[in-house]
Amino acid sequence: MSTSLSAAGSTHGRHPAADAGPQALCAREPRVPAERLVAEMVPPPRFDSVRFDTYNPDPAQPSQAEAVGVLAGFASGLGGAHATGSGKRRWFGRAPKAAAPSGPRGVYLDGGYGVGKTHLLASLWHSTPAEPALKAFGTFVELTNLVGALGFQQTVQTLGGHRLLCIDEFELDDPGDTVLVSSLLSRLVEQGVALAATSNTLPGKLGEGRFAAADFLREIQGLSAHFRPLRIDGQDYRHRGLPEAPAPFSDEQVAKAAYATEGASLDDFPGLLEHLAKVHPSRYGALTDGITAVCLTGVVPVPDQSTALRLVVLADRLYDREIPVLASGVPFDRLFGDDMLNGGYRKKYFRAISRLTALARDAKPLVSQ
């Protein structure tokens, strides 16, 4: 499977020579085939090696150790033949319909930022006794993008033969997505697919403080019945005993590091925000193919909510791929204004700040090269 990039000399998986200078994300216009979207529904590289025994529960938070035990039991219970009797992934064929299982068919990890929910969700995926082709892992946004690429019925057929579907960062931001995902998961449960999801709120609380709250609550009440909620308390591990996020560097320092780092990209931040509007969010991962570090000059507060939500998706893809971010301008905790941080999408913005801060720490050594 391949991804084409329209920028000259920017091919998938190849790093340019250091003396060729940094690449520009703004020069890339990736085209991603639908089958790649399906094949890449696995835990991101950052979580390749995580397992239940590599999760370190906080002794002061007993809910963390309890969640590990529940999820390990849930994984072991997913062994054996799939309800459809199929041992192969049904990408583009109809899976026979199975009788709907009784009771909750999933687990729902509820907790704040950085308590290890994604670590646990990825550990569940790795521990489930089924070949990777029968397990799917993706963010809520990636799942809705898959439906957009394949269509609803084809997505049901594609995922209906799976043993497990893991959904990270379950967020319902508009009534359309609420209806779409509620319908999709209901159909998958009927096919015998087990579900696991993470979010920052309980199933019955999703949508509070957002637009069209009555519509959200009506849809979510039915959807929440598919899950057993597991509360995971704790503090953001990314800030436990770690130094504060490094202050932004100068334009000159960022540019110098970009030219000295093989595979780095260098972009003006306002220009990158404009470019993101021209690339579908499902392609943001492909936008970073072959990039070893993202260097940004002139970081400024994000001007509007649509732009901010696109930046959140890019931050998620960079974090998944462990790509350090070196920047000049305002610090990342000033990217979003008070109106955004107090609004309906505040959880997404706080997550983006947390992840970009972690990536900024990772990028600090680049300046000393």
Side-chain angles (χ1 to χ4, degrees):
M1 299 173 191
S2 62
T3 302
S4 62
L5 295 170
S6 64
S10 297
T11 56
H12 175 47
R14 180 173 62 82
H15 296 173
D19 57 6
Q23 305 176 65
L25 297 181
C26 289
R28 293 179 154 211
E29 297 179 4
R31 298 288 181 263
V32 183
E35 59 266 23
R36 173 176 169 177
L37 297 178
V38 178
E40 290 188 342
M41 291 193 73
V42 297
R46 178 179 288 269
F47 298 98
D48 277 346
S49 60
V50 302
R51 298 295 186 274
F52 289 129
D53 59 6
T54 64
Y55 181 79
N56 296 316
D58 185 345
Q61 305 291 346
S63 61
Q64 295 185 8
E66 179 184 358
V68 172
V70 171
L71 290 172
F74 185 72
S76 64
L78 296 178
H82 183 269
T84 64
S86 170
K88 297 181 179 180
R89 169 181 282 184
R90 296 178 175 270
W91 278 18
F92 302 106
R94 182 181 299 276
K97 186 174 181 179
S102 59
R105 186 58 180 165
V107 290
Y108 189 101
L109 307 184
D110 172 71
Y113 314 101
V115 297
K117 299 189 305 296
T118 302
H119 182 135
L120 291 172
L121 191 68
S123 298
L124 172 64
W125 188 93
H126 288 299
S127 299
T128 295
E131 59 181 285
L134 292 177
K135 301 181 287 188
F137 184 108
T139 65
F140 179 83
V141 171
E142 288 171 324
L143 183 61
T144 56
N145 287 339
L146 182 67
V147 177
L150 300 183
F152 182 84
Q153 294 298 336
Q154 191 64 69
T155 303
V156 172
Q157 294 172 18
T158 300
L159 298 179
H162 281 56
R163 191 86 40 83
L164 172 69
L165 171 61
C166 296
I167 310 167
D168 200 18
E169 297 296 347
F170 201 95
E171 294 283 351
L172 301 180
D173 296 321
D174 63 66
D177 281 348
T178 304
V179 174
L180 176 70
V181 174
S182 178
S183 300
L184 175 64
L185 297 187
S186 295
R187 292 283 298 276
L188 293 179
V189 168
E190 292 174 359
Q191 299 278 7
V193 180
L195 308 174
T198 73
S199 186
N200 298 313
T201 51
L202 289 168
K205 299 294 185 180
L206 282 171
E208 281 192 0
R210 298 175 185 257
F211 308 112
D215 292 335
F216 279 115
L217 293 174
R218 182 173 60 251
E219 294 297 328
I220 293 164
Q221 286 173 356
L223 180 59
S224 64
H226 295 313
F227 296 95
R228 170 186 173 179
L230 291 176
R231 177 73 186 179
I232 303 176
D233 299 301
Q235 297 179 341
D236 188 335
Y237 77 90
R238 289 182 286 269
H239 300 299
R240 289 183 205 159
L242 295 176
E244 292 295 321
F249 295 96
S250 68
D251 288 350
E252 292 75 16
Q253 288 174 307
V254 171
K256 181 179 179 181
Y259 277 88
T261 304
E262 182 175 353
S265 64
L266 177 61
D267 292 90
D268 171 69
F269 184 71
L272 178 60
L273 294 183
E274 292 183 7
H275 184 63
L276 292 179
K278 304 173 185 176
V279 179
H280 192 275
S282 65
R283 302 171 183 169
Y284 287 3
L287 190 69
T288 66
D289 280 347
I291 297 296
T292 61
V294 168
C295 298
L296 301 171
T297 58
V299 173
V300 294
V302 180
D304 59 78
Q305 192 144 256
S306 295
T307 303
L309 291 172
R310 288 191 288 267
L311 182 60
V312 167
V313 177
L314 179 64
D316 286 343
R317 301 291 80 76
L318 294 174
Y319 184 78
D320 289 346
R321 289 159 175 77
E322 301 183 286
I323 300 175
V325 178
L326 190 70
S328 66
V330 304
F332 287 136
D333 60 3
R334 290 170 51 192
L335 278 174
F336 310 109
D338 290 341
D339 57 334
M340 295 183 186
L341 296 180
N342 293 322
Y345 301 109
R346 60 189 177 276
K347 293 178 180 178
K348 288 189 173 185
Y349 299 143
F350 279 115
R351 183 179 80 236
I353 291 171
S354 178
R355 291 183 167 183
L356 288 172
T357 295
L359 297 177
R361 293 193 190 104
D362 294 342
K364 194 172 182 180
L366 299 177
V367 175
S368 61
Q369 289 186 0

